[in-house]
Structure formats: structure tokens, C-alpha cells
Amino acid sequence: MYLGLDLGTSGLRGLLIDADQNVVASAEATYEVSHPHSGWSEQDPEDWIAALDAVMATLKSANRSALASLNGIGVSGHMHGATCLGADGHVLRPCILWNDTRSHVEAAVLDQLENTRELSGNIVFPGFTAPKLAWMATHEPQVFAQIDKVLLPKDYLNFILTGDAVGDMSDSAGTAWLDTGKREWSETLLSAGQMAASNMPRLVEGSQKAGTLKPELAAKWGVPDTCVIAGGAGDNAAAACGVGAMVEGDGFVSLGTSGVLLSAKDSYSPQPASAVHTFCHAVPNRWYQMGVILAATDSLNWLSGITGKTPAELTSELGDALTTPTDVMFAPYLSGERTPHNDSAIRGAFTGLSVSTSRSDMTQAVLQGVCFALRDSLEALKSTGTNMTSALAIGGGTGSTLWVEMLATVLDLPLEIPAEGEFGAALGAARLALTASTGSDPMSIMTKPDIARTIQPNTDHKAAYDAAYERYTQLYPTLKALT
């Protein structure tokens, strides 16, 4: 048996599979995000441990015999979070999360330093880990002075599981401290952020063994004390493992809380100026590139909270058939934006509202705005030489066939909907556990899911959506002039 743990922004999911990758059981536990100030986003790592205990208790209650033959655990987690430990291994402050924008000034300073982009392969975004520590050095010097280790959220769970500070390449590439081409910590990047290699976890590939489960946890959960803990992966790399996006040309688009357009790469070829992320994959000698928008389904959830209607109720008002785009425009910059703008200060807006604008018009504008923002990411990926001819569509937003057809039309890409079953980050983490435990070739494990159907671009409306996208591209410079 093999267990994948996916540490998400709102909860932890555990997925138990057998050696043939059949799902045996799953369990979930939730926790909250704290926003103590505007632009701040934090979590207490103790909540992650409580969720881990709850998930394992649930799995044990109904799957005692399966856990008794557990050979490996892999952990996936939301990226970029700064979990700071003192010399005694205790957490010094709440973890600063990926969507926290307080360190935008520090990010800009680090980004302008010589060799930063060349070594990291990326712009230094405010959500990355390095600027968060630079912010702490200035604003929380008493905490900063106590830091012994800085762990990413997933690596903190690995620390709890093994007692050792271990990180993997895919997650660490999002810190702005990793030499992403060489797949090792960069002394140059670390020193620029007042850090040292001794403050970092040791590195392994995500598909390699990071350690073994602590004996006390093995006894508590009824798991063999030989259970292997894999290096694991950042959530997007783990999702790529889960859907089999492993070689050049493989990719997916995710309509989750944030939006992601990801393409696997056989070689390292960053172009930081495009604001496309270039990160290590979770397996050796592979990388991936992706465009990221910060509010995908989060935009629809925001409208849901404003209107008092559930997301499903809002989208049902649009019917099942794709229509021409609404003249109402929505810029989904509710938390700033990454690709292609790298702008933590920009904020969202509706334009084209009139007395005749209906709730359904606003819903359609939100769906369109997310699609157009992902088109921005596609155009940025194209500028790096990436050529996507199709993509898997994953994430909660894919429950709306209308939204997926709209996205396929805007991107001019056929979008493949996986058949019902497990795929994504939790399965990817379990696959990493299987690979680390058995020494199998990762490519033989990270296979693609069965496809239920393929949604083609709507040729009747493509020209209208292309024209609407061109109008959308004018929103950002207009809004930027007002901020």
C-alpha cells in the first residue's frame, strides 16, 4: 500500500492506493486561513498536524489491515510558504502562504539583483519564499534572529513524519533560493536574502527516498516502521505526476482556487521576463513551465459571496450552450496577478456595467475573465517556445462543462476531461511514494488517466471570443494607471 498526502490551502487529503494504483480509501480534514491584515495570508502549522492526525485516524478506523502493509508515503503541498523553525525544531510564527503579498517591496529588490533571474530561472514574485524572509528580517527581526531552518509546508510535514529537514527540487524551485538548472541551493541567491545553506533542508528528488517514518508514528497508526517517506513535490508538480504530464508537450490546465496552465519540459529553458514559472519537475532531469493566475474559481466564489448564490446556482443561470461573449468585462485580479504581469498591487474590476446588466451577465463576465487571464498565460508560454496542442482539464471549475468549452474556445485548445477516478496531486504524491519505495522507473508509474471526453473549441464563437480577448488585454494597463 502507498499513501499520498495532499496539503492544500483549505485542507489535507489522504489517498491510499495499492501496488496497481487502485484506490483503497481516502480521507480529508479541513483548516482555516488567517488574514490578519490586507494582503496577508497565514496558517498555523499546528493545524496541519491536527489535520494529519484526523486523516490518519479516519483511514485507520476502516483500513487497519491496509495500513499494516503501508510501504510508502508521499506528500504534496501548496508551494512558497515560509515555515520557520527555531533550533529546537519548534515553529516560530504562523506560516506565510503563497498568496500573501506583503513582501512586494522585498521581491522587487531581490529581483533586480545581478544573476537572480539567471540562477533561479524566474522573476522573484512576492508570493515566493525568499522575499518573505527578507520582509521578516526588516519587520520581525526578533523572530528572524531565531531561525534555524526554513521549510516549505510540505517539507514541514516531512519533518514531522521523519524528524529530518528534507526538501525536494520541485517545491524548492519556488523559493528563489534554488539554482533551478543545477538543482541545488545557490549560495549567491541565499546570501542575497541573508540566508545560508545551513538554514535549508537537504535536497532529494521527489521520487527518491527522503527518510523513514518515525517509530512512534508508525506504532500510533499501525504502519510498518520501515515505511519510506518520499521526497514529495509541490502541488503542481504532484498534479503533473498524477495526470502523467511528464514529457515535452504534455500539459494541463487547472481551474482551481488559482488557475494554472502547465507544460512539461525535457530540458531547462527559462525565460523569466515572460513571468512564466520554470521549475524542476518531481522526477530527475525534467522541468516544467507554467503560467499562474491567482484567482480562478476564487473569482466565482467571490461573486457567490457577494450575490448569496452558490457557484452552481450562478453558472446554471447561463444554461448549457455556449453563447457569444458578454460586453461586460471582468479583470480577475482580486489578489493581484502573476503571469504575465507580476503585479501584487493590481486589483480586479468590472467594466461595461449598465442598468440592464443582470446577475447572469456578471457571472459570464467572471468566467470569461478567468479564461482570458489563462489565455494571457498561454501567450506567455508560447513566447518561451512552448507549443501546446491539447491539455487535460482538471480542478473544481471543470464541473461546469460550459466553462470548459468557453476555456477551450478562448485558448483554441481541445481540452481533455479525465474519466471519473483519481488523478491530480494526491495521486501524484502516492505515485511518488510508490516510486521511492520500489525504485521503479518514474515514467512507468506516472501514466495518463483514461479520458472521458474531449471538449473542442467552439468554432461558431471563436472569432467573437478572440475579439473580446483583445478588448480584455486593454484592461490591465487601464487599471494600472488608476492604482
Side-chain angles (χ1 to χ4, degrees):
M1 295 292 166
Y2 305 91
L3 177 64
L5 297 171
D6 180 29
L7 182 73
T9 308
S10 58
L12 177 72
R13 182 162 188 257
L15 181 71
L16 189 63
I17 65 171
D18 63 20
D20 295 321
Q21 301 192 39
N22 299 308
V23 175
V24 175
S26 64
E28 298 183 30
T30 61
Y31 36 76
E32 300 296 323
V33 176
S34 172
H35 302 285
H37 302 286
S38 176
W40 290 31
S41 186
E42 300 183 343
Q43 267 175 349
D44 185 349
E46 286 294 326
D47 292 342
W48 305 337
I49 298 174
L52 175 63
D53 286 340
V55 164
M56 295 306 299
T58 299
L59 290 174
K60 182 180 178 180
S61 66
N63 304 277
R64 190 178 297 269
S65 61
L67 286 182
S69 59
L70 187 68
N71 288 337
I73 298 174
V75 185
S76 157
H78 49 80
M79 298 178 68
H80 315 305
T83 312
C84 300
L85 308 185
D88 60 359
H90 287 93
V91 175
L92 297 173
R93 69 168 327 280
C95 175
I96 306 177
L97 299 185
W98 61 274
N99 55 351
D100 188 291
T101 58
R102 77 184 74 176
S103 60
H104 58 94
V105 172
E106 290 78 9
V109 171
L110 291 173
D111 189 55
Q112 292 169 10
L113 296 178
E114 185 179 2
N115 295 326
T116 294
R117 292 187 179 187
E118 288 77 7
L119 289 168
S120 71
N122 294 277
I123 289 173
V124 181
F125 291 88
F128 282 14
T129 320
K132 293 173 177 139
L133 271 294
W135 180 91
M136 288 178 60
T138 300
H139 298 277
E140 297 180 350
Q142 71 286 359
V143 177
F144 185 83
Q146 300 177 60
I147 293 174
D148 181 62
K149 286 286 187 294
V150 181
L151 301 181
L152 295 162
K154 169 267 297 174
D155 297 336
Y156 180 67
L157 277 196
N158 274 351
F159 176 72
I160 295 301
L161 294 173
T162 67
D164 193 8
V166 188
D168 92 292
M169 313 299 181
S170 71
D171 213 1
S172 300
T175 61
W177 290 321
L178 191 79
D179 184 324
T180 307
K182 293 183 177 179
R183 304 171 86 93
E184 62 185 29
W185 295 120
S186 165
E187 291 286 358
T188 299
L189 294 174
L190 287 166
S191 62
Q194 304 180 56
M195 305 301 292
S198 60
N199 299 127
M200 300 295 110
R202 66 179 176 87
L203 291 172
V204 298
E205 296 287 352
S207 54
Q208 294 176 339
K209 178 180 176 180
T212 55
L213 186 63
K214 288 179 181 177
E216 58 268 31
L217 291 179
K220 179 180 179 180
W221 297 337
V223 172
D225 58 12
T226 55
C227 181
V228 168
I229 308 301
D235 51 4
N236 288 302
C241 292
V243 301
M246 307 301 293
V247 300
E248 191 89 24
D250 290 342
F252 69 79
V253 59
S254 174
L255 283 174
T257 301
S258 59
V260 173
L261 189 63
L262 180 148
S263 179
K265 304 290 288 185
D266 292 342
S267 60
Y268 181 60
S269 54
Q271 289 198 27
S274 67
V276 165
H277 298 343
T278 301
F279 292 154
C280 302
H281 213 316
V283 300
N285 303 316
R286 295 192 181 274
W287 290 260
Y288 66 92
Q289 290 183 314
M290 65 178 179
V292 176
I293 68 171
L294 293 178
T297 59
D298 222 18
S299 293
L300 186 59
N301 292 336
W302 168 80
L303 186 65
S304 171
I306 295 293
T307 61
K309 294 289 185 179
T310 67
E313 289 172 333
L314 290 173
T315 55
S316 68
E317 293 177 348
L318 301 179
D320 298 324
L322 185 66
T323 61
T324 54
T326 176
D327 290 334
V328 178
M329 286 282 179
F330 175 71
Y333 308 141
L334 302 178
S335 301
E337 194 54 293
R338 284 203 187 171
T339 311
H341 304 304
N342 183 28
D343 191 337
S344 62
I346 196 71
R347 289 296 178 264
F350 280 105
T351 65
L353 299 176
S354 71
V355 293
S356 64
T357 298
S358 66
R359 182 172 62 207
S360 62
D361 290 330
M362 298 178 76
T363 300
Q364 184 171 354
V366 167
L367 302 190
Q368 286 176 193
V370 170
C371 292
F372 293 151
L374 285 166
R375 169 78 175 268
D376 277 347
S377 286
L378 179 61
E379 297 301 326
L381 281 168
K382 287 178 179 178
S383 75
T384 72
T386 294
N387 180 30
M388 299 183 74
T389 56
S390 66
L392 286 165
I394 63 175
T398 61
S400 169
T401 300
L402 175 71
W403 202 356
V404 177
E405 184 180 0
M406 184 186 294
L407 182 59
T409 303
V410 170
L411 299 180
D412 195 24
L413 283 177
L415 297 181
E416 298 174 332
I417 306 297
E420 286 192 14
E422 288 294 339
F423 50 87
L427 178 61
R431 286 175 160 183
L432 291 170
L434 192 161
T435 306
S437 301
T438 62
S440 301
D441 177 6
M443 305 307 288
S444 70
I445 303 298
M446 317 296 180
T447 55
K448 295 182 179 181
D450 293 331
I451 302 302
R453 65 190 190 282
T454 299
I455 297 180
Q456 299 288 341
N458 188 309
T459 55
D460 292 338
H461 297 312
K462 181 181 181 304
Y465 276 94
D466 284 345
Y469 171 69
E470 291 304 318
R471 296 197 305 275
Y472 170 84
T473 61
Q474 300 171 36
L475 282 182
Y476 175 78
T478 301
L479 292 172
K480 183 64 175 175
L482 297 174
T483 58

